[in-house]
Amino acid sequence: MGNAMDRENSWRHIEQQRRAIAALLEDLTPSEWETPSLCAGWRVREVAAHIAATPNPPAPGVLLRTALRVRGDYNRMIDDLTTRHAQRPTSELVRELRDHAASRRLPKLTNYRNILFDTIVHGQDIAIPLGRVLDVDAGAAAAGAGTAAACGWPVWDRHRLDGIRLVATDVDWTHGAGSEIAGPILALLLLVTGRTAALDQVAGEGIPRLARQLA
C-alpha cells in the first residue's frame, strides 16, 4: 500500500521541507558544509546544491551537452550538474533554496511525486550526518516511500526490494511480499532509497537480504 498524496498536499510538504532545509543550512559552519552526506560521493554542499537547483533546471542545451559528456549515464549527469552548481557560495545556495521554496517548476522527465521523496530524503542526507533533526510528516514520508519503492532504472536497480515486505510501525503503509522489515516510515524511506543510516531503527528477518541487494 503506497499512501498516495494529492498534488496540492505534496507541494505543500515540498515547500515546508525546502524551508526547513534552508533554515538548517543557514546555521552551518564552513566545516559542516564539507561534511560527507548520506548520499554517496556528495558532501552537504553538493546535496544542498542539488535541492536548490531542482526548481531551476538547466537549459536544454546544457542538459544535452552534459548528457553527451557522460555518454547518457543518468546518475553521472546529475552528479556533473550538481558538482558545478555546488561551486557557488553557500550563502547563495541557501538564498536560492529559500527564494524558490514554493516554486512548482520541474526538471524534465520528473513529476511532483518524485520531487517529494527526493526533497525529504536529501534533507535527511544532510541532517543525519550533522546530528541534526529535520522533522518529516509521516504521511508525506509514506507517499514518498510508495513512489520511491516503485522507481527503478535509471536511478536504482528495480529488483533491489525483491522478496522483501516493508511494514511501517507509525503509519498505515506496507510494500512488497517476503521477508519482513518493520520500522518507522522515515527509516523505511531511507532504506528504499539505498540509505542504511537508519538500519538501527528497523527490525526483521529481511534485513540481511535487503543489505545484500542494496550492496
Side-chain angles (χ1 to χ4, degrees):
M1 184 173 58
N3 286 51
M5 179 172 284
D6 65 38
R7 180 186 299 269
E8 285 302 313
N9 275 321
S10 294
W11 279 117
R12 180 168 59 83
H13 286 292
I14 291 166
E15 178 181 352
Q16 183 274 326
Q17 282 291 295
R18 286 171 173 169
R19 294 192 185 282
I21 293 165
L24 187 159
L25 292 170
E26 194 170 43
D27 292 334
L28 297 189
T29 65
S31 63
E32 286 177 316
W33 277 92
E34 308 309 313
T35 301
S37 76
L38 298 186
C39 191
W42 282 1
R43 299 164 296 175
V44 166
R45 174 186 290 273
E46 278 79 31
V47 179
H50 174 73
I51 303 169
T54 296
N56 298 288
V62 175
L63 284 175
L64 179 58
R65 288 193 297 273
T66 305
L68 291 172
R69 185 164 56 249
V70 300
R71 299 182 180 182
D73 185 310
Y74 175 82
N75 287 317
R76 284 182 60 200
M77 181 176 72
I78 297 299
D79 182 68
D80 187 288
L81 293 168
T82 299
T83 300
R84 292 170 182 270
H85 202 78
Q87 294 172 6
R88 299 184 180 199
T90 56
S91 59
E92 187 175 327
L93 294 175
V94 173
R95 183 171 61 253
E96 182 180 15
L97 180 53
R98 182 171 283 126
D99 287 350
H100 299 283
S103 172
R104 299 190 177 190
R105 190 178 182 195
L106 291 166
K108 297 291 186 184
L109 307 178
T110 193
N111 56 59
Y112 71 88
R113 296 181 184 88
N114 292 341
I115 299 302
L116 177 63
F117 82 73
D118 190 73
T119 306
I120 291 172
V121 170
H122 283 314
Q124 298 303 308
D125 284 342
I126 291 170
I128 291 174
L130 294 175
R132 310 294 180 91
V133 175
L134 199 61
D135 291 329
V136 176
D137 176 82
T147 302
C151 284
W153 185 89
V155 183
W156 295 298
D157 179 352
R158 68 186 181 90
H159 296 294
R160 71 195 186 286
L161 301 177
D162 286 0
I164 299 292
R165 173 177 164 80
L166 300 172
V167 181
T169 54
D170 56 346
V171 67
D172 184 16
W173 185 89
T174 62
H175 175 82
S179 301
E180 186 169 299
I181 299 175
I185 187 60
L186 185 56
L188 297 181
L189 172 57
L190 291 174
L191 283 177
V192 165
T193 55
R195 279 79 170 165
T196 57
L199 264 179
D200 61 339
Q201 297 180 38
V202 302
E205 62 181 5
I207 291 175
R209 175 172 184 156
L210 181 60
R212 289 194 302 271
Q213 291 174 186
L214 290 178

